[in-house]
Amino acid sequence: MATQDFCPEKKISIFYPPQRVLMGPGPSDTHPRVLSAMSRPTLGHLDPVFTDMMEELKSLMRYAFQTTNLLTFPVSGPGSVGMEMCFVNMIEPGDKVIVCRNGVFGGRMVENVERHGGVAVIVDDKWGEPVDPQKVEDALKKNPDSKIVAFVHAETSTGVQSDAKTLSDLAKRYNCLTIMDTVTSLGGTPIYIDGWGIDAVYSGSQKCLSCPPGLSPVSFSERVVNLVKNRKHKVQSWFMDINLLLGYWGSSRTYHHTAPTNALYGLHEALLMLYEEGLEHSWARHLRNHKALKAGLQTLGIEYVVAEPYRLPQLNAVHVPVGVDEKEVRRRLLADFNMEIGAGLGDFAGKIWRFGLMGTSSRVENVVFCLNALEVVLADMGMKVERGAAEVAAHQTYAANPMTL
Ligand SMILES: *Cc1c(COP(=O)(O)O)cnc(C)c1O
């Protein structure tokens, strides 16, 4: 057999992906500044010029998380690796962890606890509802030997936000550490890691940070650093052991793994853009675009899954109108308009759509384009639609909600 025969289906000589508009649950659009930063010359991961950039990157990350935690750095891996890093380092065999589960990602936390030898005490809430602090307190009372409370701040599978400050206060009252998932909230809605007293937090590059997927910003309090230093058993994962990673991301700069240098230029640029815009401005922008999209969707009779006070502005989960083939709508948006929106996951599969307005995807042009494209597709599929009404409603909402920051 010739060597080429091992790759018989080869047909692409150069890969040019189409330019989509990404308005699903992530990834969201990458900002051109970030793409451009990533195309700059590759440096060695121990090059002093690169390590200077790493220091600034950590500092920009502290700004985004609103923390002074020294141990704040990007994990080389997607959000799921950041998640696993928190659990694998903080759990020793037999440790009890209260896990709040109100969607897909809370379910993954349970998996993490169990796979790392912990005992998960599950606090379930209905999909589309926030974590109920009363249930968490009941679980803490019943399980006074619990060590950690873990919860998802912004549950991307349902579009709901939970009250992080209240959950963190509760955990403290019962002597527990906290692990919080901020993959979808970082940059999109307010996060105060120090203000809320969160111990371990992880996020992702591809949601509200306008960066491609593949990196996970994490941050750990002194309490976590001490816990990990004083573990009885070695951390089960070599790659994710914080004690070893500190050799690279800490002060000594010794080789641990080859950091994805160009990807890190991209994250640096994305966080720089967030810093230049200002967190408050970014949060307000996400909220404003959400309000306009909502006004437009309402003209189409489309209803939200989540009650108003708990809605995530960056992830609009809505019920598919009765009688509409939801898959066909998504297919047409992609084929005819280059627009990606998200389907429902798990219990919500086939029942909801998820419109993401995250990072650089959260802008006026996208809201208007999305509403118009949706009107065209729905009208074409036989739904009664007043063409143009959604855009008019969006513009009225923009006019009534000027950016004041
Ligand atoms: C997307 C997401 C993750 C997983 O991130 P990946 O980068 O896909 O691994 C975890 N938690 C939440 C809430 C998410 O939205």
Side-chain angles (χ1 to χ4, degrees), residues 78-80 83 105 108 152 154-156 181 183-184 202 206-207:
S80 305
M83 177 191 272
F105 295 101
R108 289 193 181 176
V152 179
E155 185 43 89
T156 323
D181 178 320
V183 177
T184 281
Y202 59 91
Q206 78 278 25
K207 309 229 173 161

Side-chain angles (χ1 to χ4, degrees), residues 48-174:
V49 175
F50 182 68
T51 55
D52 280 353
M53 192 279 281
M54 286 163 69
E55 282 310 303
E56 187 171 301
L57 179 54
K58 291 195 285 186
S59 171
L60 286 165
M61 216 172 281
R62 289 187 193 107
Y63 168 73
F65 277 131
Q66 292 288 285
T67 184
T68 56
N69 286 341
L70 279 178
L71 191 52
T72 302
F73 65 98
V75 176
S76 306
S80 305
V81 181
M83 177 191 272
E84 190 122 8
M85 175 167 270
C86 295
F87 288 93
V88 78
N89 280 281
M90 290 168 69
I91 293 177
E92 293 212 57
D95 282 351
K96 235 183 210 182
V97 182
I98 309 264
V99 185
C100 308
R101 181 171 66 179
N102 59 340
V104 166
F105 295 101
R108 289 193 181 176
M109 285 179 153
V110 173
E111 272 288 311
N112 267 272
V113 170
E114 291 174 348
R115 282 169 191 251
H116 301 317
V119 178
V121 177
I122 304 171
V123 175
D124 269 315
D125 275 293
K126 250 181 81 183
W127 281 40
E129 286 178 14
V131 174
D132 180 352
Q134 187 56 55
K135 286 190 195 167
V136 176
E137 177 147 28
D138 293 345
L140 282 163
K141 272 190 190 139
K142 246 188 255 160
N143 299 276
D145 53 339
S146 298
K147 193 170 133 186
I148 298 168
V149 173
F151 63 93
V152 179
H153 184 218
E155 185 43 89
T156 323
S157 61
T158 67
V160 81
Q161 180 159 284
S162 290
D163 182 350
K165 165 108 179 32
T166 300
L167 294 173
S168 172
D169 287 348
L170 256 180
K172 279 208 176 49
R173 221 179 308 140
Y174 290 85

Side-chain angles (χ1 to χ4, degrees), residues 33-53:
R33 263 180 69 176
V34 174
L35 285 177
S36 153
M38 290 173 73
S39 68
R40 291 172 197 152
T42 299
L43 287 171
H45 57 290
L46 298 170
D47 188 309
V49 175
F50 182 68
T51 55
D52 280 353
M53 192 279 281

